[in-house]
Amino acid sequence: MKFFAVLLLSTLSTFTAFRAWAIPPQEVQDRKEMAQVWVDRHNGDLSDDAKAYFKAIKFKKHAFYASSWHKPVVRMKRLSTGQAARMGVPASVNHKDGSIVPLTSLYVSHASNEEFLTANYSDEIDRLHCSTDIYIKIGLQYRHLFHGEGYPGCARVLSLGKDLPAFFEVSTYGGGTRCDRTIYRLDTEAIKAKNDELYDHPELIDVQKYVKDELEIHNWLEGFTAYKDVNKDGTLEVINSSVVLYPPDLKTKVKERYKMVDNDFGAFRQTAVIYQWDDGKSKFVPLGEHFY
């Protein structure tokens, strides 16, 4: 009897707590109205060019968070995996959980007068074991340049424009529904000195100084990265879509009005940001962020 009494009190207290924390329907609607006004104002303040760019982009929900649409990969020639050993490419790699993942494909490509190898490691049972390594040929040997992991094709050599240097998209599955992606650029000025460096101090060659980290982006939930020539000038822009958190100013206003705390806020809206390469400044410049 005592047990049932305790159980009844526990159930009633839980129900009471739920009722106390339930959000009134009117408050839910009011918060939606505030959020929509904020979004309309933000999108309305975008430049006319940015508005036209976003209007021309047809976005769809995409279930695979780590995807890239229309990835402009440079032309690659497939090689036999039997050639991997003489090129210094491992025939298999060890995943962090102890699994041994075999080399399943090997490609050679050329960009910005340099030669690259792309090695793909795949596991038919678990896609999270997939990884990709990119090598660059320096002198007589290939040296490891990048590593991506978490899904097939997670590191690639890209061409964003005829007169632009080679770019590299390197992605890592970050757990849950997150994918971290970095776009690097080949430093064509730095790599000009490779022959002198090989002649003077071949043991000191560091291939990482031949590339620059240009753009770090993140995908959440149904996010994706796309490449599109939005202003029709022959150069591809990078378009990143993801779910974002509440904007700080809107979050502050809602907190003050409804006595909320940080833990009461979840994801806000799906957004898209367009990044354009500025050759004069040698960096990606954001053209605007559109909230959906």
Side-chain angles (χ1 to χ4, degrees):
M1 185 68 182
K2 183 177 179 180
F3 170 77
F4 288 107
V6 172
L7 181 62
L8 179 60
L9 287 173
S10 176
T11 303
L12 288 174
S13 62
T14 302
F15 177 73
T16 303
F18 174 78
R19 289 291 300 274
W21 284 101
I23 302 175
Q26 187 58 51
E27 180 181 328
V28 173
Q29 183 61 36
D30 290 346
R31 284 161 56 180
K32 288 182 179 179
E33 297 287 358
M34 294 171 66
Q36 190 58 50
V37 170
W38 187 96
V39 166
D40 291 342
R41 288 175 175 174
H42 172 88
N43 291 344
D45 289 339
L46 293 172
S47 68
D48 291 339
D49 286 341
K51 290 177 183 177
Y53 296 155
F54 285 114
K55 187 175 181 180
I57 299 170
K58 305 300 182 183
F59 286 100
K60 302 184 216 177
K61 287 189 174 182
H62 204 280
F64 188 32
Y65 58 87
S67 67
S68 290
W69 289 359
H70 312 300
K71 190 183 296 185
V73 178
V74 300
R75 180 176 298 178
M76 299 188 294
K77 178 183 178 182
R78 186 158 189 164
L79 304 176
S80 168
T81 54
Q83 301 182 55
R86 71 176 181 82
M87 294 177 168
V89 177
S92 62
V93 294
N94 292 323
H95 191 265
K96 55 189 174 185
D97 67 1
S99 303
I100 298 177
V101 187
L103 175 69
T104 51
S105 60
L106 182 65
Y107 295 89
V108 64
S109 59
H110 297 84
S112 298
N113 300 315
E114 305 299 331
E115 185 172 315
F116 302 94
L117 286 180
T118 301
N120 296 309
Y121 298 86
S122 304
D123 186 338
E124 294 180 356
I125 299 175
D126 191 344
R127 291 166 64 90
L128 297 181
H129 289 168
C130 296
S131 64
T132 301
D133 290 297
I134 294 177
Y135 297 77
I136 182 172
K137 190 173 186 180
I138 302 294
L140 301 176
Q141 59 184 314
Y142 292 94
R143 300 175 187 253
H144 188 266
L145 189 60
F146 295 117
H147 173 76
E149 62 181 34
Y151 61 95
C154 46
R156 288 291 184 261
V157 185
L158 307 181
S159 174
L160 300 185
K162 182 179 178 181
D163 299 322
L164 297 183
F167 288 85
F168 310 87
E169 181 192 275
V170 182
S171 308
T172 302
Y173 168 79
T177 55
R178 173 175 174 172
C179 179
D180 296 323
R181 179 172 289 116
T182 303
I183 297 178
Y184 299 87
R185 171 179 62 90
L186 183 70
D187 190 336
T188 52
E189 289 301 316
I191 206 167
K192 287 179 181 178
K194 68 177 182 178
N195 288 335
D196 291 336
E197 294 169 352
L198 281 169
Y199 185 77
D200 295 333
H201 297 285
E203 76 282 2
L204 299 180
I205 290 291
D206 178 10
V207 295
Q208 294 303 317
K209 72 178 184 180
Y210 299 146
V211 293
K212 289 185 176 295
D213 177 345
E214 297 294 357
L215 183 62
E216 294 184 7
I217 50 184
H218 309 284
N219 292 142
W220 292 86
L221 301 176
E222 294 180 342
F224 59 87
T225 302
Y227 298 87
K228 184 179 178 67
D229 184 2
V230 295
N231 60 356
K232 310 299 183 184
D233 64 350
T235 300
L236 296 177
E237 277 71 41
V238 181
I239 305 165
N240 192 60
S241 179
S242 183
V243 172
V244 298
L245 301 177
Y246 261 73
D249 53 340
L250 175 60
K251 183 177 180 179
T252 298
K253 187 174 183 64
V254 174
K255 284 173 67 175
E256 291 175 350
R257 181 176 178 84
Y258 297 107
K259 310 301 180 185
M260 299 171 64
V261 296
D262 288 341
N263 289 339
D264 295 329
F265 294 87
F268 180 60
R269 293 284 186 97
Q270 186 91 4
T271 71
V273 184
I274 299 177
Y275 299 93
Q276 185 179 62
W277 177 254
D278 188 321
D279 208 28
K281 298 179 180 178
S282 293
K283 68 177 184 179
F284 283 102
V285 178
L287 299 183
E289 180 178 24
H290 183 87
F291 282 77
Y292 291 91

